[in-house]
Structure formats: structure tokens, C-alpha cells
Amino acid sequence: MKILFLNHNLAGRGTYFRCMGFARELVKRGHQVDLWTVSTERNFQGTCVEEDGVNIWHTPRWGKVGRHDGGYALVDNIARFFAASEGRWDVVHAFDHRPNVLLPWLCLKMKMRCLPGNKTLFVSDWCDWWTAGGITTSRRRFPIIDRIEQRIEEGSKRFSDGVTVISSVLQQRAIAVGVNPDWLHLLPSGVDIEKFPEMDKKTCRKLIGLPEDKPVLGFIGFSLWDMELLANAFEQVKKQIPQAVLLVIGGGVEESANDIFKQRFNIGVDVFLPGVIPFSEAPKYLAACDIQLLPMEDNLANRARLPNKLCDYMASGRPIVASNVGEGGDIVRKKQIGLAVDGGVENFAEACAVLLLNDNLIREYGGRARNAARTEYCYSRLTDSVLMFYEQLHK
């Protein structure tokens, strides 16, 4: 099959990893996959690269990173529209509903539906709760804009041949807005376990300059949400384990979220902030930690999502302390790969301390986490279900 993945994110950020994980495995199975994503730098013409057999188009952008990265850039949208009008694929999979994804998706859908005998599948992926109290609602100056986008977010799913959803919360929302349950497929994100070799903790600490004899708590992410919860919890951990160290990886255009640590902790001693790193370096940084952290405030956006970092945490072979919010907390609890805690800062900090003071628990939970990444949450296994879903929709 010839497959097109439409991604609204910057390359190497957010849902891009979800797209790339499935695309890479589909190529291994003999399919041709094109992935359209947003350039991470000013790029007047766009660039095409091949990575692991996937044809990736970094679409043109005339503005700097940090402006219109969410799929609204005019040049990006125009370029995708014209490219879509000239192309033809067997499956077009739109990852969420932002304009630079929905516009080419609709263009192709209208064009292909006019061709006799056409069997192109038009699939949507739903991996975030955007409107109606979700991610973007608080960012809208006028409520009517959120209501308009809500119609687009929900309507694009009803208009699809099939819908993949990242969580049971979004699965229920899809059914509630009128998507046929037979057209739905629950599809968590995963991890390419081959890119996460098992690594020695002390060796990794030497390579990145972390203290070798102190307990290290790890956090990674491009969208630095819930930073206040993380900072408050670490403050409580320090009261019980004064020598503890926090490693916070990521930031990008949201680097200002790290200011909370700079104001309250000794940077380079208690908290390490390497910023954005190449994804190829992530296994080394995560392997340098004793435990991984998934703090999540209990809100609608967090209940609906499944952060990519969770599977990377699993692959690192380290136990996870997670807020018992949404699918992430459920996975940690049910798979027994760490501790999923209810409540706020005190409970989260206590769970961190329990693990840091028990090497046996760290080994036990970490081993289960690595095994879960290697089996149930590896992209090679998850991609089998994607192909089965495509085949089901073709019938």
C-alpha cells in the first residue's frame, strides 16, 4: 500500500513520534509511507528526507519556530493543499484535526471520491482532547472560536472512514459524537525498542555529567505541562532524601516553563536542565535515572491523553511514578511497572521516596517496565493492529 501520514507538529515533537513509530514499521512490512510534518527551522521551499525508509516532507515555513507551530501557518497549509491535489494514496491517515492536516485530507477526500472505483481510505487519529474544556479552550480569547473548532474536531471524525483513538476517554467521546463503534480502533502509542538498548546507569551518568552517587529522578517532554506539580513534589522529596537530584529534559519553545526550577533550586546541583536533546540521546539520559516521573494534574486534557514519554520510560527499564490520571496511571498500576498515586504533591513525593529507598522494588518494577516495552507496547506489535484495522475498513 501507499500510505500518507499527515502530522501537524514540528518534526521530532509530540505526535510526530507517534506517526514515525507506525510509519517505520509499515515500511518494514513493504508499504510505502509518506509523512508530512512541520520544519523545525525557517525553510522557504521545504525539504524531503528519507529516514528508516519513510519519506518525510518538512513543509515550508517562513516564520520562526514558536509562531503558528500548531498547524495554522499559511505557507505550510498552501503547500500541503497543492501537494495533496497532485498526489494519490491508498490510505490517508490524518493525525488530529489542525488546519495543515485537515485541509489536505479534505482536498484528497473530495478528489478521490470523484474517481470511479476509488477505494482510498480516509482515517483520522484522535490523541488529544483539544476543545470543549481541553488543551486549547483556555487559549481562546473568544468562546465562539472554541465552539467552532469543536465542530471541526468532532465533525472530522464523523466524516472519516475510520478513527484511531489513543485512549478510552477519547473512544467514548467519539461514540458520543456519533462515530460508529465499528469504525473505531483503540491504538496506544508505543516505542521502538531497538532504539532503546539496555544501558549501564553509572556509565550514562559519566557521559552526561550527573553525580554518580546520588538518586536521580527523571522527566522528559517537549510540552512541559504540570511543571508546578513536579517542582512541588521534588521539593517534598528533598525533605525526605536531601541528596536527591532531578533531571528535566526538554522544553523547546516552552523553555520558560523551567523558570520555576531556576527560582527554587540550585541548578547544576539539585536540578539539571539540559534542555532539548536529540531523540537519539534520550535513551542515555533516561538510563541515567533511578526512577521516571509522570506528574499530571487531574484535568480533561490529561485524562484523555497518553503521553509518548510513558513508553520511553518503560523502555529505559526504570520504574515510573505517575499521577493516577487517565490511561497513563492505569497502565502503570495494571502492569505493575511503578506506582500510580491519587491526590496531589504529598502522595506523589511519598511514592518517589518509597522507590528511591527500595532497590528491590526499583529492579522489580523496572524489569516489568522493560518487558512491557519489549512486548505489548513495541511499535512492531501495535502496527499489526493498524494493518488489521485498515483491512477491516476495506471490507
Side-chain angles (χ1 to χ4, degrees), residues 2-217:
K2 187 178 179 183
I3 302 167
L4 173 62
F5 280 180
L6 297 166
N7 172 236
H8 76 274
N9 292 96
L10 292 169
R13 178 171 174 164
T15 311
Y16 171 87
F17 291 112
R18 179 170 167 84
C19 294
M20 192 61 189
F22 290 114
R24 186 184 293 113
E25 291 298 326
L26 287 166
V27 167
K28 290 179 182 178
R29 288 158 173 75
H31 303 287
Q32 177 184 326
V33 183
D34 300 320
L35 169 57
W36 295 1
T37 191
V38 179
S39 176
T40 56
E41 56 189 21
R42 283 186 175 176
N43 186 335
F44 291 96
Q45 296 182 331
T47 55
C48 296
V49 298
E50 182 180 305
E51 181 179 335
D52 295 333
V54 181
N55 302 312
I56 305 172
W57 181 29
H58 298 257
T59 54
R61 69 173 302 133
W62 290 4
K64 64 181 181 179
V65 172
R67 298 192 63 186
H68 303 299
D69 293 338
Y72 290 90
L74 181 61
V75 174
D76 176 22
N77 277 270
I78 292 174
R80 293 186 187 216
F81 177 83
F82 282 106
S85 66
E86 298 172 358
R88 183 167 183 171
W89 290 267
D90 300 302
V91 178
V92 182
H93 205 143
F95 286 75
D96 272 318
H97 69 282
R98 311 317 287 276
N100 65 347
V101 165
L102 190 59
L103 185 63
W105 189 84
L106 288 172
C107 172
L108 279 163
K109 189 175 179 69
M110 289 186 290
K111 182 183 78 169
M112 301 308 292
R113 288 295 187 259
C114 295
L115 299 178
N118 170 65
K119 294 184 178 180
T120 300
L121 283 177
F122 289 88
V123 183
S124 291
D125 183 72
W126 212 347
C127 63
D128 279 303
W129 189 306
W130 292 95
T131 62
I135 295 172
T136 57
T137 298
S138 62
R139 304 176 188 175
R140 303 302 186 209
R141 180 178 300 180
F142 303 107
I144 191 172
I145 297 177
D146 188 67
R147 289 196 292 271
I148 291 171
E149 186 176 351
Q150 180 182 351
R151 289 180 174 271
I152 296 171
E153 180 182 17
E154 297 173 349
S156 63
K157 310 306 184 291
R158 289 192 296 268
F159 197 46
S160 301
D161 297 319
V163 181
T164 53
V165 291
I166 201 169
S167 69
S168 57
V169 172
L170 286 171
Q171 185 178 40
Q172 292 305 311
R173 184 184 181 188
I175 294 171
V177 301
V179 177
N180 188 328
D182 293 336
W183 301 348
L184 279 170
H185 179 55
L186 182 60
L187 184 66
S189 289
V191 64
D192 185 347
I193 196 65
E194 294 178 359
K195 295 187 180 297
F196 278 81
E198 294 186 85
M199 305 178 76
D200 178 69
K201 181 172 65 178
K202 287 188 176 181
T203 301
C204 292
R205 290 187 182 185
K206 287 181 181 179
L207 291 172
I208 63 179
L210 287 176
E212 297 178 36
D213 57 348
K214 295 183 178 181
V216 178
L217 303 83

Side-chain angles (χ1 to χ4, degrees), residues 362-379:
I362 286 181
R363 284 191 293 270
E364 180 182 338
Y365 286 140
R368 288 201 198 106
R370 175 74 183 181
N371 187 59
R374 188 174 52 82
T375 55
E376 189 172 353
Y377 290 95
C378 67
Y379 271 118

